[in-house]
């Protein structure tokens, strides 16, 4: 309970700490009391799950927007009289926003809070989709797709941080799995519905976009009604402001108001730290390369699967859309695998530490090249179409596992620097998703689908040792890391009761690495 000098109750049930300064300038620090229901980590489970599902829906909408766009190329090319390369640029530039914009937008979430960014980004994402649906030339489509990537990434990039805000470390496995599941599952589902809509002579690619507009409009209402502020420092700022207003006493402050860096400093840190970690930290580098390559192959398959099944099995566009349903099935299998991974993590964490997150990743490292090779050499008129689809499903289950592990393992390893480590990994991943589709058609035309995909499989074999090396030597690698040493020092200070500048496991202040 906060008490002022006249013993009047001000803002229960937070607590206060007197911060020594000059006698006439003594400030009162407001903190959450244990069990305070306003602390995001003390929200009820119903409220936590409502927020988590709201966040995951946005990730699903942005993922389905990428795949549904790619499968409607033919309708768009006919309507706008453009080339496939021009249409592909719209797909590639969409992922630019997901790699670059979060480097800046994360600063604004620290300054303004999560909820305002979710609302603003979802509204602007919907308006960019309207712009796409009304476009009269391919140039306007490319501009609108770029804006969709910018605004979509602003909201989707906050999901991991929002989950970490409200769930404690041992509770995050299932919410993070749902986050990964919503992205991968929607990636395949978007292709299914996009193929059905684009194949109709009365609908076409514009109606693919209008359906997304309607879906995004419903989400805007959802986020306004359901989403709460989850960043604890922002909640404390609001409590401190309300307390000053009620009491007329300007001494009440939150910790964020004591140690508040400038917005330019936040942006500088957000832009430079992820790149620093990507260039200097072996764990971030290895996951950036591995997940980036895998994500690039996924976008290559968006380009190639439609044409391959149409030419080899004479599938119609709508039938090809159902081919992508295997991606959603792969997401379900990967989700179940990660549930088993959570069991292994809880069992072996006392022995393996953070590396207990990597059991299923080691399995995925073997599944990826095997499934890619099977898919490459079984897409033939002499082999039933179900065989390459099974291989594609296995491949997507491996992608899901990598996507999930990259979030949780980096969060475990980098603590207060998690968002920067994940942003660095995301930068590498989305950069490859940008580059790969631009040369996919030329590569397959020169090498054929079989040998082109075999090349990807061989490169995947070369990367297969990554999770195995980290599983056996990850702790030793971290012991030589400058960042890891700083994290250990911060954890020790926290254990000793000293103040730290970090209020959430996945959000960091402007502290130089």
């Amino acid at each position: 309970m906060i008490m002022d000098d006249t013993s009047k109750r001000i803002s229960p049930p937070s607590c206060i700490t007197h911060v020594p300064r000059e006698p006439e300038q003594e400030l009162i620090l407001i903190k959450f009391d244990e069990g305070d229901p306003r602390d995001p980590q003390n929200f009820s489970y119903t409220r936590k799950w409502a927020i988590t599902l709201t966040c995951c829906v946005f990730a699903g909408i942005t993922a389905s927007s990428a795949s549904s766009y790619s499968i409607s190329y033919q309708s768009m090319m006919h309507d706008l009289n453009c080339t496939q390369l021009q249409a592909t640029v719209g797909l590639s530039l969409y992922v630019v926003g997901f790699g670059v914009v979060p480097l800046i937008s994360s600063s604004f979430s620290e300054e303004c809070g999560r909820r305002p960014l979710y609302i603003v980004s979802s509204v602007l994402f919907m308006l960019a989709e309207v712009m796409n649906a009304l476009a009269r030339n391919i140039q306007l489509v490319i501009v609108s797709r770029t804006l969709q990537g910018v605004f979509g990434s602003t909201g989707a990039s906050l999901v991991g941080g929002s989950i970490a805000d409200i769930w404690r470390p041992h509770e995050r496995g299932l919410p993070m799995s749902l986050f990964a599941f919503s992205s991968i599952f929607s990636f395949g589902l978007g292709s299914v519905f996009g193929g059905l809509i684009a194949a109709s002579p009365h609908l076409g690619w514009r109606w693919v976009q209008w359906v997304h507009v309607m879906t995004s409009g419903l989400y805007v209402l959802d986020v306004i009604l359901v989403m709460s502020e989850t960043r604890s420092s922002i909640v404390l700022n609001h409590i401190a402001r309300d307390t000053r207003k009620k009491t007329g006493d300007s001494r009440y402050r939150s910790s964020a108001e004591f140690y508040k860096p400038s917005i330019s400093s936040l942006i500088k840190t957000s832009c430079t730290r992820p790149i620093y970690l990507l260039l200097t930290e072996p764990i971030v580098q290895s996951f950036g390369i591995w997940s980036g390559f895998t994500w690039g192959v996924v976008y290559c398959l968006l380009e190639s699967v439609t044409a391959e099944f149409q030419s080899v099995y004479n599938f119609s566009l709508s039938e090809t859309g159902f081919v992508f349903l295997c991606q959603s099935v792969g997401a379900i299998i990967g989700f179940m695998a990660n549930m088993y991974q959570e069991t292994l993590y809880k069992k072996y964490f006392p022995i393996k530490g953070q590396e207990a997150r990597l059991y299923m990743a080691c399995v995925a490292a073997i599944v990826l090249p095997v499934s890619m090779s099977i898919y490459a050499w079984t897409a033939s008129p002499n082999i039933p179409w179900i065989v390459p689809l099974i291989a594609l499903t296995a491949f997507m289950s491996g992608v899901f596992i990598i996507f999930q592990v990259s979030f949780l393992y980096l969060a475990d390893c980098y603590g207060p620097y998690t968002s920067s480590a994940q942003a660095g990994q995301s930068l590498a991943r989305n950069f490859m998703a940008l580059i790969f589709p631009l040369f996919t058609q030329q590569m397959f035309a020169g090498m054929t689908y079989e040998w082109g995909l075999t090349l990807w499989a061989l490169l995947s074999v070369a990367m297969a040792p990554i999770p195995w090396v980290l599983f056996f030597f990850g702790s030793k690698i971290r012991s030589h890391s400058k960042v890891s040493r700083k994290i250990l020092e911060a954890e020790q200070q926290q254990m000793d009761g000293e103040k730290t500048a970090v209020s959430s496991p996945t959000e960091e202040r402007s502290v130089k690495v």
Side-chain angles (χ1 to χ4, degrees), residues 140-156:
L140 197 56
V141 168
I142 291 173
V143 172
S144 66
R145 289 290 296 176
T146 304
L147 292 176
Q148 285 181 49
V150 169
F151 301 131
S153 70
T154 302

Side-chain angles (χ1 to χ4, degrees), residues 9 20 55 64 67 78 95 99 108 110 131 143 159 196 213 219 223 225 287 311 346 373 381 410 412 435 497 502:
R9 192 167 74 174
C55 295
S64 64
S67 57
H78 179 268
V95 301
F108 291 94
E110 294 179 355
M131 179 181 176
V143 172
V159 177
L196 289 173
V213 170
Y219 177 76
V223 76
L225 296 175
F287 265 97
S311 63
K346 293 175 182 178
S373 300
L410 291 178
D412 287 353
I435 298 298
V502 181

Side-chain angles (χ1 to χ4, degrees), residues 348-411:
Y348 293 106
F349 178 78
I351 302 172
K352 294 295 297 181
Q354 288 92 327
E355 282 64 46
R357 293 281 188 195
L358 299 176
Y359 284 98
M360 295 309 300
C362 293
V363 175
I366 299 173
V367 170
L368 288 178
V370 172
S371 59
M372 231 182 295
S373 300
I374 295 174
Y375 174 73
W377 294 100
T378 57
S380 167
N382 301 321
I383 299 176
W385 56 267
I386 192 65
V387 177
L389 278 191
I390 292 174
L392 196 58
T393 302
F395 172 78
M396 289 308 301
S397 66
V399 171
F400 181 94
I401 292 171
I402 297 173
F403 194 79
Q404 165 79 356
V405 168
S406 66
F407 279 100
L408 288 175
Y409 184 60
L410 291 178

Side-chain angles (χ1 to χ4, degrees), residues 239-252:
I239 294 174
R241 182 191 61 199
D242 292 343
T243 303
R244 291 194 297 268
K245 184 177 179 180
K246 289 179 181 178
T247 64
D249 190 338
S250 61
R251 295 179 300 162
Y252 290 97

Side-chain angles (χ1 to χ4, degrees), residues 83-150:
T83 66
Q84 183 165 344
L85 179 61
Q86 288 175 313
T88 302
V89 171
L91 176 66
S92 296
L93 290 181
Y94 181 80
V95 301
V96 170
F98 282 82
V100 176
V101 175
L103 301 181
I104 301 174
S105 61
S106 60
S107 300
F108 291 94
S109 73
E110 294 179 355
E111 184 71 16
C112 307
R114 313 283 196 201
R115 187 173 185 269
L117 278 184
Y118 275 113
I119 295 174
V120 171
S121 60
S122 60
V123 170
L124 294 178
F125 181 80
M126 180 188 67
L127 294 177
E129 288 181 319
V130 172
M131 179 181 176
N132 194 359
L134 296 174
R136 294 301 174 187
N137 54 64
I138 190 61
Q139 290 79 15
L140 197 56
V141 168
I142 291 173
V143 172
S144 66
R145 289 290 296 176
T146 304
L147 292 176
Q148 285 181 49
V150 169

